[in-house]
Amino acid sequence: MTRDTNHDTVLRDEAVDALVTDAAGVYVDGTYGRGGHSRAILDRLSAAGRLIGFDRDRQAAEGAERLAADDDRFTFVSEPFSRWGDILAERGIADRVDGVMFDLGVSSPQLDQPERGFSFRFDGPLDMRMDQSRGVSAADWLAVADEEEVRDVIARLGEERFARRIAAEIVARRGDKPLTRTSDLVDCVLAAIPKRDPNKHPATRTFQAIRLFINQELDQITSALEQALAHLRPGGRLVVISFHSLEDRIVKRFIRDHSTPGKDFFGNPVGATAFRKMGKAIRAGEAEIKNNPRARSAIMRVAERVE
């Protein structure tokens, strides 16, 4: 099995086992990242199989384009995964998809690059955009957002109980000096939080919340899942790996809502379902977590499209 040399691909084998049911099928990797899942999928496909990868990250695109040049079964599209169904429809293959997978969140290489601004561990520009060629950076947004909006984002998307204190500190400090570095944001959080969890960096939730907001990640997930209803053929698999509760909640609810029939007045099941839930949620094993601590929070859910 091919191994990604850039980072450890979380739940790689488990995801590919669940996804690929036909070696000659058409599959979508909606979050190419550094290509670990895509390469493993290609290892399972025959010469007739096809894989389409999506990613809006420019560095991911560079690696994906090299793979596409080496393997004509693979096509890369430099677009967000929320458009995967629309793009395939434009290419006339939207009704032939045998499986689609999403590995949500930020990859380890992105976190480890200070210039991306995703991590509180390194000082760098306060950017946080998945696609740095478009959209508003975290620094730009924090420079103009009112205190209530900042508080709402940090509370809602970060589930941070000190969101009000942090928002107030951000607004107070930006009045003296613009927040342009990740260290500026970390300093705001440290000054605002009176009690700290010894097992988690105080800025974890705030950075998560602002990243999710800047990239509209939860809306992207919802849109991508809805397109699976239209474009997966019967028997096709939906595989999603999430890394925090907000992401997983959306995936879990989607699968539940579309795999549970309605009930009539007497409580009897009525109506058709679009998906069949495939087993229980899957988590990384001890060996994988030991090798890659990031895998500890990963949770994978699988559903199969039905008639």
Side-chain angles (χ1 to χ4, degrees):
M1 179 64 66
T2 303
R3 180 179 176 83
D4 185 346
T5 58
N6 293 311
H7 74 296
D8 293 310
T9 303
V10 177
L11 291 170
R12 181 193 61 192
D13 293 346
E14 293 87 345
V16 178
D17 286 344
L19 181 72
V20 179
T21 58
D22 179 0
V26 176
Y27 296 90
V28 172
D29 182 353
T31 47
Y32 179 84
R34 294 304 180 264
H37 285 117
S38 282
R39 292 185 179 90
I41 292 167
L42 289 168
D43 283 349
R44 302 286 184 91
L45 299 185
S46 68
R50 185 171 181 185
L51 174 64
I52 302 97
F54 289 80
D55 210 299
R56 54 179 165 169
D57 183 276
R58 291 300 178 90
Q59 292 183 350
E62 293 175 4
E65 287 164 359
R66 288 194 294 270
L67 179 58
D70 291 338
D71 193 327
D72 60 10
R73 299 173 300 165
F74 177 69
T75 301
F76 178 70
V77 182
S78 184
E79 291 282 353
F81 67 88
S82 59
R83 295 200 63 226
W84 74 271
D86 298 333
I87 297 294
L88 296 194
E90 292 170 4
R91 299 184 179 205
I93 55 175
D95 61 344
R96 296 193 287 116
V97 179
D98 295 280
V100 58
M101 75 158 293
F102 307 109
D103 179 7
L104 305 174
V106 182
S107 69
S108 295
Q110 288 173 319
L111 287 171
D112 292 339
Q113 295 172 338
E115 64 272 18
R116 302 302 302 272
F118 288 120
S119 178
F120 47 78
R121 295 186 296 122
F122 309 109
D123 181 36
L126 189 56
D127 195 314
M128 297 196 191
R129 289 173 295 172
M130 294 288 190
D131 182 350
Q132 292 181 303
S133 69
R134 66 182 75 175
V136 177
S137 71
D140 291 340
W141 175 67
L142 288 173
V144 299
D146 62 45
E147 184 175 328
E148 191 63 21
E149 183 183 13
V150 176
R151 182 207 65 79
D152 176 68
V153 166
I154 296 174
R156 180 169 49 87
L157 299 182
E159 300 178 314
E160 171 59 72
R161 62 181 175 136
F162 297 114
R164 187 172 296 280
R165 288 173 175 262
I166 295 169
E169 187 69 26
I170 286 171
V171 171
R173 291 204 180 201
R174 79 184 185 192
D176 298 325
K177 178 186 174 184
L179 307 179
T180 61
R181 311 285 297 180
T182 53
S183 57
D184 295 333
L185 182 56
V186 170
D187 289 344
C188 288
V189 175
L190 295 179
I193 292 184
K195 185 177 181 181
R196 302 175 187 176
D197 182 346
N199 299 313
K200 180 177 288 188
H201 192 286
T204 300
R205 294 185 178 90
T206 297
F207 269 69
Q208 169 191 294
I210 295 175
R211 188 204 86 217
L212 287 172
F213 174 77
I214 290 297
N215 295 291
Q216 296 296 296
E217 291 179 48
L218 299 188
D219 290 340
Q220 298 258 335
I221 294 168
T222 299
S223 178
L225 293 174
E226 290 291 338
Q227 290 175 63
L229 288 168
H231 303 306
L232 273 180
R233 66 166 64 191
R237 296 287 179 82
L238 170 67
V239 178
V240 187
I241 301 171
S242 307
F243 286 87
H244 62 74
S245 60
L246 291 177
E247 295 172 340
D248 182 55
R249 199 174 301 155
I250 293 172
V251 178
K252 182 178 180 180
R253 185 181 300 124
F254 175 84
I255 293 175
R256 180 199 65 201
D257 290 349
H258 293 288
S259 62
T260 306
K263 293 184 179 181
D264 64 15
F265 179 79
F266 301 101
N268 300 310
V270 295
T273 57
F275 282 96
R276 176 169 55 248
K277 179 182 174 183
M278 302 295 290
K280 296 181 179 180
I282 297 171
R283 295 185 179 274
E286 292 183 8
E288 180 171 6
I289 292 172
K290 183 177 180 181
N291 183 58
N292 178 17
R294 180 174 177 258
R296 185 181 305 278
S297 59
I299 181 168
M300 185 177 84
R301 298 186 186 274
V302 182
E304 183 176 85
R305 190 73 166 93
V306 297
E307 292 284 0

